[in-house]
Amino acid sequence: MTIKMKYIKITCLFALLISTSGCKKWLDVNSDPATPQDVAAEFYLAPMIARMGVSVGTDYSNAHFKYTQNVGAQVASDPMERHSYYNTDNAGGVLWRFVYIDAGKNLEEIITKAEAQKNNTLLGVAYAIKAWGYQMTTDSHGPIILNDALKDQLTFTYQDQPEVYEKVREWCYLALAKLNTPDGLVNPALLRSSDYIFGSTIPANNSVTVYRERWRKFVYAILATQYSHLTNKPDFKTKYADSVVKFVDLSFGATVQNSSEDAAISFDGVSAANANPISVTGNSLNAVASSAGAAQVGSGRVGQPLINYLTGGMRGTPALNPTITASTPYDPRLSRMVASMASGVYKGVVATRGDVPTVKTIPHVYGSVAATFPGKYIFGQGLTDVNKSRLPLYTYAQLQFAKSEALFLKGDLGGAWTAYDKGIKGHMDFVNTFGRTGVSAAPVISQAEITAYMTSSEVAQNAASLTLADIMGQKYIAQWGWAGQEQWCDLRKWHYRADVFKQFKQLDAAEFSATLNGVGLYAYRLRPRYNSEYVWNREELQKWGGLQPTYSYQETWFSLPTN
């Protein structure tokens, strides 16, 4: 299933750009009965799902990946690596726009039409997308617009995470209820062509059984990750840990323990306009505009933490200037996920230091030091329809590590180790399934390589030896390059601890940005979208401290030890 923009889809995509009036109002300008303007609700899905991918991909590239040290810039002055911020919409405001503008009233139009038709399948999908959008947005920004959302007014009040989390759960349960209720009217053919996440699961006989099941698993993934954020709550072990385990077990991997069911958006990739934003063609990781309008070319250099984790730093000391040889094979994912330097040495950018010396040598995540980039791992543009570049949203491996963490904190070390073991093997399968894109597809990780790694000193061999750093380090690898939001949630809920994230570079006082805060603190929230909030909604921002330069360093509710 790939994005192929037909006329009506382009119409709705344009409507997304002016969605303060919604698709319906725009289309109603002409009521000629010879050319009906009442668009089927399914047609709204195509541009909306595309914008889901563009929104997270852009925010990840410009903000989250910098905070998590997934990537680094060629220059040493990148403010985001120093946990500062830009006063631009591109540095963390695109997902905000998705929720309130791009999806906004268009999503409500889907809900209204689907309810009228008793199209419960589509209604469930719509509530799932709504829950996902608000969950992602609150976990980036903390307080967001909730009850005032989409009202016809000029200023909007914010509500904090406890209320947003509760509302997200409400929408999740509504989605599940609808996805379990028979349809009055459903159009499987339109869903197949308009849904770039799970539409391909609808077979020629138009059965939506598997399609509904995948969307239910998507909803369970939202719930599992939401509860997994609450590790600092005093009742996590007795109340929330079991919810993490329950919803992981209901989500991807409930029937197959690999990446075949993972939620991912498919892109056609013919041009930047319809490509995965983090891919070579989408190019969001190559140049990022700063507040001054300049470009930081090569902002997507591989970060050093990943290199360290893959070359002996998971449980030991990472190799110095590592090269792959018969005697030092390292993690088999290394050669599949990143490119080596011309010398064969694997090296990443150390946060805040740039690519030094003056002659740039550290490869881009796209696969080489300089353009034209050949593509690597999930960032390449696929060679075949099967291998088209896809943007993951939730994966089996990621969820297994969330389960492992919850069980570990609860004291069930045996269960934690089993989930940890499945998570590593699941990510090996993810690399083989998603990561073989680009000009020259990487070879499949063989079973012999997997066995050698799983029995190595880099992997906990039993429950007794398992540590939290083992779990979170492997989760860092599994989420690297695509799950920027969830990785940042992990870092924040563990307060950037060096004993949990062994290869995350702890910044010293001189490495934090001195120009915008000088307080020596890590970022815990993104500032709200600049052009809507700082231009039009400043009074509400003032109530929350949003006009203060230190706003980014206030913890969000989910990482605090208070209910």
Side-chain angles (χ1 to χ4, degrees), residues 309 313-316 469-470 497-505:
Y309 273 130
M314 184 61 66
R315 309 194 90 215
D470 290 326
R497 280 171 45 181
D499 62 328
V500 176
F501 299 96
K502 293 170 58 177
Q503 300 307 329
F504 180 84
K505 178 183 170 12

Side-chain angles (χ1 to χ4, degrees), residues 386-455:
V386 174
N387 249 356
K388 285 289 186 182
S389 182
R390 294 182 286 170
L391 178 63
L393 299 177
Y394 294 108
T395 70
Y396 165 75
Q398 169 194 53
L399 294 173
Q400 287 301 308
F401 290 123
K403 177 181 177 180
S404 179
E405 176 193 25
L407 289 171
F408 183 89
L409 295 176
K410 192 178 178 182
D412 182 356
L413 299 185
W417 184 86
T418 298
Y420 159 83
D421 183 74
K422 290 180 178 179
I424 300 173
K425 293 173 181 175
H427 188 246
M428 297 284 185
D429 184 72
F430 174 89
V431 174
N432 284 341
T433 303
F434 282 76
R436 301 180 58 249
T437 64
V439 174
S440 179
V444 171
I445 301 176
S446 69
Q447 186 56 53
E449 289 177 292
I450 295 173
T451 300
Y453 179 74
M454 295 302 296
T455 56

Side-chain angles (χ1 to χ4, degrees), residues 128 131-132 135 168 172 218-227 394:
W132 175 86
Q135 184 68 53
V168 166
C172 282
F218 183 93
V219 174
Y220 290 134
I222 297 172
L223 291 166
T225 51
Q226 186 197 85
Y227 283 115
Y394 294 108

Side-chain angles (χ1 to χ4, degrees), residues 182-261:
D183 287 303
L185 175 68
V186 65
N187 193 325
L190 281 183
L191 288 174
R192 185 190 302 114
S193 62
S194 300
D195 184 342
Y196 305 136
I197 302 176
F198 297 126
S200 62
T201 65
I202 300 176
N205 67 4
N206 287 334
S207 169
V208 293
T209 300
V210 174
Y211 179 78
R212 281 176 154 228
E213 179 189 0
R214 292 292 174 82
W215 272 108
R216 285 195 295 268
K217 290 180 177 181
F218 183 93
V219 174
Y220 290 134
I222 297 172
L223 291 166
T225 51
Q226 186 197 85
Y227 283 115
S228 76
H229 297 165
L230 306 179
T231 54
N232 285 301
K233 303 306 177 187
D235 49 358
F236 177 80
K237 296 178 184 179
T238 58
K239 183 177 180 180
Y240 299 125
D242 286 342
S243 293
V244 177
V245 174
K246 171 186 174 181
F247 291 121
V248 168
D249 287 346
L250 289 169
S251 189
F252 306 110
T255 52
V256 291
Q257 297 181 357
N258 56 45
S259 281
S260 62
E261 294 183 343

Side-chain angles (χ1 to χ4, degrees), residues 13 33 88 110 208 212 258 277 310 319 322 345 387 457 485 507 545 559:
L13 182 57
T88 68
I110 294 178
V208 293
R212 281 176 154 228
N258 56 45
L310 294 172
V345 170
N387 249 356
S457 59
Q485 171 76 287
L507 303 184
S559 67

Side-chain angles (χ1 to χ4, degrees), residues 12-295:
C12 276
L13 182 57
F14 177 75
L16 283 172
L17 300 179
I18 58 168
S19 61
T20 52
S21 61
C23 258
K24 185 176 187 299
K25 289 184 179 179
W26 182 70
L27 292 171
D28 278 349
V29 297
N30 185 348
S31 57
D32 181 356
T35 55
Q37 302 296 306
D38 188 20
V39 178
E42 288 85 354
F43 281 128
Y44 292 69
L45 277 181
M48 191 172 296
I49 289 174
R51 288 301 301 175
M52 287 172 69
V54 169
S55 299
V56 295
T58 305
D59 279 356
Y60 289 172
S61 298
N62 296 354
H64 300 81
F65 287 165
K66 306 290 190 68
Y67 286 159
T68 61
Q69 299 177 7
N70 274 201
V71 301
Q74 282 189 342
V75 297
S77 57
D78 190 319
M80 301 304 284
E81 289 183 37
R82 297 174 179 275
H83 283 245
S84 187
Y85 58 90
Y86 291 128
N87 286 328
T88 68
D89 287 342
N90 284 335
V94 186
L95 184 58
W96 185 286
R97 177 190 167 91
F98 169 79
V99 168
Y100 301 114
I101 301 176
D102 296 337
K105 290 188 177 182
N106 296 286
L107 192 52
E108 299 309 309
E109 187 81 358
I110 294 178
I111 291 171
T112 298
K113 288 190 172 187
E115 282 180 335
Q117 298 170 345
K118 291 184 170 51
N119 186 342
N120 291 308
T121 297
L122 181 58
L123 195 53
V125 171
Y127 277 120
I129 293 173
K130 189 171 186 176
W132 175 86
Y134 278 80
Q135 184 68 53
M136 295 290 288
T137 304
T138 191
D139 283 333
S140 273
H141 300 280
I144 61 173
I145 302 166
L146 184 62
N147 290 345
D148 276 358
L150 310 183
K151 289 184 178 179
D152 292 328
Q153 56 195 51
L154 295 178
T155 59
F156 305 86
T157 58
Y158 293 170
Q159 288 163 267
D160 209 351
Q161 284 195 308
E163 293 171 276
V164 183
Y165 269 47
E166 183 179 357
K167 181 60 72 172
V168 166
R169 291 194 294 272
E170 179 183 321
W171 289 327
C172 282
Y173 289 123
L174 268 172
L176 292 170
K178 297 303 179 182
L179 290 166
N180 283 313
T181 302
D183 287 303
L185 175 68
V186 65
N187 193 325
L190 281 183
L191 288 174
R192 185 190 302 114
S193 62
S194 300
D195 184 342
Y196 305 136
I197 302 176
F198 297 126
S200 62
T201 65
I202 300 176
N205 67 4
N206 287 334
S207 169
V208 293
T209 300
V210 174
Y211 179 78
R212 281 176 154 228
E213 179 189 0
R214 292 292 174 82
W215 272 108
R216 285 195 295 268
K217 290 180 177 181
F218 183 93
V219 174
Y220 290 134
I222 297 172
L223 291 166
T225 51
Q226 186 197 85
Y227 283 115
S228 76
H229 297 165
L230 306 179
T231 54
N232 285 301
K233 303 306 177 187
D235 49 358
F236 177 80
K237 296 178 184 179
T238 58
K239 183 177 180 180
Y240 299 125
D242 286 342
S243 293
V244 177
V245 174
K246 171 186 174 181
F247 291 121
V248 168
D249 287 346
L250 289 169
S251 189
F252 306 110
T255 52
V256 291
Q257 297 181 357
N258 56 45
S259 281
S260 62
E261 294 183 343
D262 290 353
I265 302 173
S266 297
F267 291 84
D268 201 31
V270 175
S271 67
N274 60 9
N276 178 347
I278 66 170
S279 71
V280 171
T281 307
N283 200 37
S284 67
L285 276 161
N286 191 32
V288 179
S290 72
S291 56

